[in-house]
Amino acid sequence: MINERYENRWEKIMEVDGEGGKRVIESLKNIAPDLGRYVIEFAFGDIYTRQGISLQQKQLVTIASLTTQGGCEPQLNVHINAALNVGLTPNAIVEAIIHCIPYTGFPRVLNAVFVAKQVFEERNLKVNTK
Amino acid sequence: MINERYENRWEKIMEVDGEGGKRVIESLKNIAPDLGRYVIEFAFGDIYTRQGISLQQKQLVTIASLTTQGGCEPQLNVHINAALNVGLTPNAIVEAIIHCIPYTGFPRVLNAVFVAKQVFEERNLKVNTK
Amino acid sequence: MINERYENRWEKIMEVDGEGGKRVIESLKNIAPDLGRYVIEFAFGDIYTRQGISLQQKQLVTIASLTTQGGCEPQLNVHINAALNVGLTPNAIVEAIIHCIPYTGFPRVLNAVFVAKQVFEERNLKVNTK
Amino acid sequence: MINERYENRWEKIMEVDGEGGKRVIESLKNIAPDLGRYVIEFAFGDIYTRQGISLQQKQLVTIASLTTQGGCEPQLNVHINAALNVGLTPNAIVEAIIHCIPYTGFPRVLNAVFVAKQVFEERNLKVNTK
Amino acid sequence: MINERYENRWEKIMEVDGEGGKRVIESLKNIAPDLGRYVIEFAFGDIYTRQGISLQQKQLVTIASLTTQGGCEPQLNVHINAALNVGLTPNAIVEAIIHCIPYTGFPRVLNAVFVAKQVFEERNLKVNTK
Amino acid sequence: MINERYENRWEKIMEVDGEGGKRVIESLKNIAPDLGRYVIEFAFGDIYTRQGISLQQKQLVTIASLTTQGGCEPQLNVHINAALNVGLTPNAIVEAIIHCIPYTGFPRVLNAVFVAKQVFEERNLKVNTK
């Protein structure tokens, strides 16, 4: 029963989070494999597959949540990559992070923007800053 | 100069946040009027008027940020109303809040959903739960 | 498939969280029934049924997490009741909250202790303060 | 030994926090008297009596920390009263809270300003808002 | 007087936190020796020596609080070591961290698990992942 | 109009935050230049130039807010430097951080003190630890 949920979602995680997500799951193998399973089954299986908001909207929500939470730079890296994978532009990603300033202040926003900067450089993407 | 920024934005705040936002600004009059001015000039003037993500995307980002932050129930009330004002459905709002579970856990999500429930009841709106 | 996970867990939630948990699930019916389902399936089904730490240890961990998180007074109320239901004494619950002082400071600890005080009064329990 | 630390500090707590602080300690009597003792001995005894920054500077730091922490409205109430007791003006208190906007965002600052508003009204104090 | 509290506790800190705790205290010598003293006197002297929950229960509470707080990876390292020193198994530690998922979300839990992974590797311990 | 606000503030940022602040603004150029502009216009222009508390009081408030927020070590570095630039002594800075212990707990305070330690070493300053 578990396995069915698992397999359906594994494709999803690969489609959205790509290598970054896969690497997280694998690094959990020797210490907390069930945690990796919950990421796949619950976060991807139950939550990401929901209807009602689009994949792009989901990634904007995710980025806003992680930016505001603070201290989640590794997860922001995975999800900024995921946001690009579902078609959000670098500009839209930066705009979403900037939009959090009034709610969470500059420090968390600066931390998130610097993660985005690194991701864009790794993928050779440019933000249109004019 | 300040006044120009202020007036342009006041229309914006009324359009998006409606009565809720106006009431906050007014309650600040006798204690911290500049704080009200910054909400209008900076949060609305500088941030809300930016291009690159839509008004609906901005409200989803706002709701995700406030849900994750915690302890911001009054501001969530204003912004869930704002989200409805720019055309998001009750379902999309609830979906955005639910999407935060993996990042911020159930308690903050439950708190946010109960704010949404109250707003929807006040506005006589129903979530399609089937 | 989903239903099997659901039913097994519903007994669990009743055994541990009792009326408080049930009331939360029911209040979600008209706005976000799936959220209630995730609480039952994931939080209770997947997480609470795990082996390796006892039910009492799980409640201590839960209380520490909710105390530290802040702004989760309604959830603390449910879980302090749950802690009593699985056999923790009022003293042990207060000790666990006090133990969080060095990590999260006095304000969150005071907030949590006042929730405990209310729960103990409702259940007519006394802390041995000598 | 404990008692000596305790007595010295009790005068301190009365001088700085006044009735608000005393009421908190008393409300802990039947549930966690040691928690009240730690507030007196450690927070007041060890920390408030330190040299190097003035009593007024300490209250500004306290207000900034509680504002940023979020969900600490009862404690903010006590410490805004304490700030007035050591001679800070309502204006300086509001300025300190406003100064936190760039670091913690508008929602927590709004929550703190509304606590200050209530305290000033109770003490019949006016902020010079011009 | 201070010294008596200090000495009693220093043995405690060595017994529970071992080298990690000692190194923290020493790194504070040239900048904030009193902070080190408060860790020893208050966190260890006043809090850790309390009765009512066991040393193992205290470490589970500590790990849950630090996991939930976020951004406390260095302190988690010290306290995961301490948890092992008082006899908790690697499995119980991982279970306690996993148990925080519903309250604080996956990112903080993942961060904590990766700290545990590093500690276990340094001490040549294996989690039984069955 | 924007430019006038910008230029006035740029001098301010250089006077208070010095090289650290300048470097942050510059690192934003290719990804989010407007974010740098908001730091200058809003955080420095609108907020830092306010009357009612002194520059030194503002830096104490800033340090308390960043210490409590957690995960803002890069920003703490900039603002501990800024605190020194406006005349606060290393001792007063450490005292302000220590004063946050009762509100935010030891871990965030330890993290902030270690940032201060690094800044003081870079500037060849000593804390009088008596």
Side-chain angles (χ1 to χ4, degrees), chain B residues 51-76:
Chain B
Q51 310 294 316
I53 55 174
S54 70
L55 272 182
Q56 293 194 3
Q57 288 175 314
K58 284 172 190 171
Q59 288 301 333
L60 291 178
V61 163
T62 302
I63 287 170
S65 184
L66 289 171
T67 295
T68 302
Q69 175 113 186
C72 302
E73 284 73 18
Q75 290 80 26
L76 260 176

Side-chain angles (χ1 to χ4, degrees), chain B residues 4 12 21 29 45 79 81 93 96 102 107 113 118:
Chain B
E4 192 175 332
K12 192 86 196 166
K29 269 209 179 124
H79 284 283
N81 272 293
I93 292 168
V113 163
Q118 191 190 347

